[in-house]
Amino acid sequence: ASEAVAAGSPAGQLVAFGLQEALDRLPEAERTVFLLREVTGLSYSEVASLCDTSEDGVGSRLFRARRRLRQLLSGRLSVDALGPVRRV
């Protein structure tokens, strides 16, 4: 079993930094949909209304955002594709 990382701890700050850096690398439309759906918990319909798109559009952007975040956080994208990466 793995232990939870406390948000204020140094390890928690590194995890948060990694996620924030990955979010910052998403295209704006994908980042906005991801944050509205996953962080604020809005429905697809609500996100679609706020982003002036269809629910299918929300689903597509959310799929791409999740896939890109998984790749970024697992280090599968090359540095060349992402630009410079700050190492800790």
Side-chain angles (χ1 to χ4, degrees):
S2 64
E3 294 182 32
V5 177
S9 71
Q13 291 172 353
L14 287 175
V15 169
F17 175 76
L19 179 57
Q20 184 61 56
E21 183 178 356
L23 286 168
D24 289 345
R25 291 178 183 234
L26 291 178
E28 184 177 353
E30 292 176 18
R31 181 176 54 247
T32 299
V33 166
F34 180 84
L35 293 173
L36 288 173
R37 174 69 184 149
E38 300 298 340
V39 176
T40 65
L42 296 179
S43 69
Y44 277 48
S45 177
E46 292 168 319
V47 174
S49 179
L50 288 170
C51 294
D52 195 30
T53 190
S54 66
E55 289 183 39
D56 287 341
V58 169
S60 295
R61 290 175 188 176
L62 194 53
F63 173 81
R64 288 191 303 267
R66 288 173 179 155
R67 180 181 60 199
R68 194 179 312 254
L69 285 170
R70 272 193 303 274
Q71 291 171 333
L72 288 166
L73 293 172
S74 69
R76 283 189 269 169
L77 289 179
S78 71
V79 173
D80 292 337
L82 300 175
V85 175
R86 249 182 2 199
R87 302 258 182 221
V88 178

